[in-house]
Amino acid sequence: MKVDVILGLQWGDEGKGKLVDVVCPTYPIIARFQGGPNAGHSLVIHGKKMVLNTIPSGIFRDGSTNVAGSGMVLNPVGLLREIKMLEANGVPVKDRLVLSRRAHLILPTHPLLDAAMEQAKGDEKIGSTLKGIGPAYSDKTARQGIRLGDLDNGRFDANFREQIARHTDELNRHGSDLSELNALCDEWKKSLDEIAAYQRADTEFFLNKALDRGEPILAEGAQGTLLDLEFGSYPFVTSSHTTVAGVCSGLGVAPQRVGKVMGIFKAYCTRVGSGPFPTELNNETGDFLRQTGHEFGATTGRPRRCGWIDLPALRYAIMLNGVTDLIMTKADVLSGLPEIGVCTHYRTANGRTPYFPSDLDGVEPVIKMIPGWNQSLTESTSEDALPAQLLRYIDLLEDELDRPIRIVSVGPDRRQTIHRR
Ligand code: IMP
């Protein structure tokens, strides 16, 4: 059996949460492989909006097992809050959630370090979600992080104190306000004690054994390919591996066990935080996309930057991930625009290119305008009901990207999903 993957092809916020929920009925196990509470996966379940930051989006499905993999970083305070929200909504989290003992912990000082480092960068700041992701992964890479499984060894408390003392020195050098630190540490420890009552496992064995038994797994990505630490628009990226490679390193499954790779993209493009964005629209059309698409961060509430679809970026993401199937979301947001822009190439100092270069400085988009449509799509339930202009847009994208678009999402609800033949 294989691990199928669902991941974002742009700068995150492509609608992965909803789509995982839509495709997960055929997967008894859903596993997140990287990132942490910087993610905000929004789902509408029975008309109610829920946002998941850490827990995989399969958690709402009866009989599912949801794994937070070893490539993730977990903050006990936020995780417990998320668990309580789900339990208050009747979700039996204890039965459905398994946390990797290898996942690293975001300490109470990591978000403070994130804020201090961002402030020190001034105009060059990344636009981080300030959830402590970068500092937690930095400690992991420097081999001084604390893992969830370390709870079970006798050195945990001493280790925690040592790390907090080291971080405190650094925060003092930045001149950070540490008046709340003791209270934050108390809350963190209390939350961790409660989290300890949930299932913890060496999830790499759990997942490989499930595959051996013939149970398929859905690996759920967070953020997007263009925020990948290796291949994204560095340094304006996150600190984890958001591409398909992260599935192997973040879940402990071998590459030959990876099956379908479903790449999600919006019918346009957004980015939150700083960094290059060649197709950005700083005009009325950008405002229209932001307002109509409710493009405000699920985690931070920040307005997202909006622009036209970027084919060089999508071709690059498809190549990096070995995408087999495409899923297009938020097509409904484009309704009402007389024309839609498609960036087919970039203009660079060395001429026109269909590729996404390692340095986007000075890159100009080459935009082709195509006719839009007026009709609202939110009630459409089949491909036949879609306007001809949208079908032509889909044809154009399939031609340019050389992959089939299997699903078109036309609204946030599970039911607003068109499966294509
Ligand atoms: P960090 O991962 O919080 O350090 O943020 C690094 C960059 O990634 C910033 O530009 C964030 O806005 C962006 N980012 C992080 N997580 C997400 C996400 O889930 N969706 C979109 N952008 C994100």
Side-chain angles (χ1 to χ4, degrees):
M1 218 14 103
K2 297 279 188 187
V3 182
D4 291 340
V5 184
I6 195 158
L7 47 71
L9 299 179
Q10 296 163 319
W11 275 287
D13 309 313
E14 296 92 351
K16 292 175 289 292
K18 171 193 157 168
L19 263 301
V20 170
D21 179 61
V22 166
V23 302
C24 75
T26 46
Y27 299 92
I29 300 171
I30 298 94
R32 238 189 88 179
F33 54 92
Q34 46 71 230
N38 48 348
H41 291 175
S42 309
L43 296 95
V44 178
I45 308 288
H46 306 307
K48 191 166 175 183
K49 181 173 168 183
M50 313 236 192
V51 178
L52 296 172
N53 301 113
T54 303
I55 295 176
S57 307
I59 197 79
F60 297 100
R61 293 283 180 183
D62 290 345
S64 63
T65 302
N66 293 265
V67 173
S70 54
M72 290 190 71
V73 284
L74 308 176
N75 185 334
V77 178
L79 176 56
L80 186 65
R81 212 174 290 135
E82 207 169 314
I83 288 174
K84 298 279 177 220
M85 177 276 287
L86 290 167
E87 288 177 342
N89 281 284
V91 179
V93 180
K94 276 208 170 112
D95 301 340
R96 294 189 192 166
L97 179 66
V98 184
L99 305 167
S100 167
R101 293 160 55 84
R102 288 181 184 272
H104 277 244
L105 293 174
I106 299 177
L107 304 188
T109 34
H110 282 141
L112 301 178
L113 284 167
D114 218 350
M117 285 151 74
E118 279 285 77
Q119 199 178 4
K121 286 193 174 112
D123 287 348
E124 299 298 307
K125 71 172 192 236
I126 307 292
S128 159
T129 60
L130 304 181
K131 300 290 176 189
I133 304 297
Y137 277 115
S138 298
D139 276 348
K140 172 179 176 173
T141 313
R143 295 158 294 180
Q144 55 199 11
I146 302 183
R147 303 179 303 173
L148 182 64
D150 295 344
L151 252 186
D152 303 323
N153 71 41
R155 295 186 313 278
F156 188 88
D157 284 335
N159 219 342
F160 177 75
R161 278 195 301 274
E162 218 172 274
Q163 299 307 322
I164 296 293
R166 192 172 51 78
H167 291 163
T168 303
D169 284 348
E170 200 176 332
L171 288 163
N172 278 328
R173 281 197 295 280
H174 282 286
S176 303
D177 173 8
L178 297 181
S179 55
E180 303 285 320
L181 184 56
N182 284 340
L184 289 173
C185 288
D186 288 348
E187 187 190 18
W188 189 90
K189 281 188 170 163
K190 267 215 244 106
S191 302
L192 189 61
D193 286 345
E194 283 199 51
I195 297 288
Y198 289 77
Q199 298 184 63
R200 286 173 284 147
D202 289 348
T203 49
E204 54 281 15
F205 290 103
F206 173 83
L207 293 168
N208 279 287
K209 281 183 186 161
L211 292 172
D212 293 342
R213 283 195 305 273
E215 292 176 29
I217 295 172
L218 181 65
E220 173 182 11
Q223 290 81 50
T225 298
L226 306 178
L227 288 172
D228 181 69
L229 180 62
E230 296 288 339
F231 294 104
S233 49
Y234 192 88
F236 301 99
V237 293
T238 190
S239 301
S240 66
H241 303 289
T242 59
T243 60
V244 72
V247 174
C248 300
S249 64
L251 294 180
V253 294
Q256 65 270 30
R257 302 205 94 157
V258 173
K260 266 201 292 194
V261 181
M262 294 170 265
I264 307 200
F265 66 100
K266 274 183 204 175
Y268 50 97
C269 198
T270 64
R271 169 161 210 171
V272 62
S274 329
F277 182 1
T279 62
E280 183 168 14
L281 292 164
N282 285 311
N283 60 16
E284 274 175 15
T285 311
D287 293 342
F288 171 89
L289 293 172
R290 186 161 33 254
Q291 294 307 328
T292 316
H294 309 292
E295 295 294 357
F296 297 88
T299 306
T300 59
R302 289 180 292 175
R304 296 183 186 136
R305 299 155 66 194
C306 297
W308 295 129
I309 201 160
D310 182 335
L311 297 184
L314 280 176
R315 288 185 198 107
Y316 175 66
I318 289 168
M319 173 189 82
L320 291 175
N321 292 303
V323 168
T324 54
D325 302 72
L326 289 169
I327 297 174
M328 181 163 85
T329 60
K330 298 193 114 171
D332 51 300
V333 174
L334 298 179
S335 293
L337 286 172
E339 287 190 304
I340 291 162
V342 179
C343 169
T344 56
H345 292 78
Y346 292 150
R347 210 173 288 117
T348 70
N350 301 323
R352 221 168 119 112
T353 173
Y355 300 116
F356 187 90
S358 58
D359 187 348
L360 287 167
D361 259 6
V363 156
E364 296 277 344
V366 177
I367 306 276
K368 169 176 174 173
M369 297 306 293
I370 61 166
W373 58 91
N374 254 324
Q375 181 185 327
S376 162
L377 308 179
T378 52
E379 301 298 322
S380 310
T381 51
S382 76
E383 197 176 344
D384 310 335
L386 298 178
Q389 297 90 327
L390 171 55
L391 294 175
R392 278 202 288 278
Y393 185 39
I394 292 172
D395 281 348
L396 171 82
L397 296 178
E398 287 187 328
D399 274 358
E400 291 279 349
L401 301 172
D402 199 21
R403 293 292 184 284
I405 298 178
R406 300 272 186 217
I407 295 179
V408 177
S409 169
V410 292
D413 200 276
R414 277 177 185 166
R415 288 162 302 169
Q416 293 170 304
T417 307
I418 296 172
H419 295 264
R420 300 185 66 233
R421 290 181 290 273

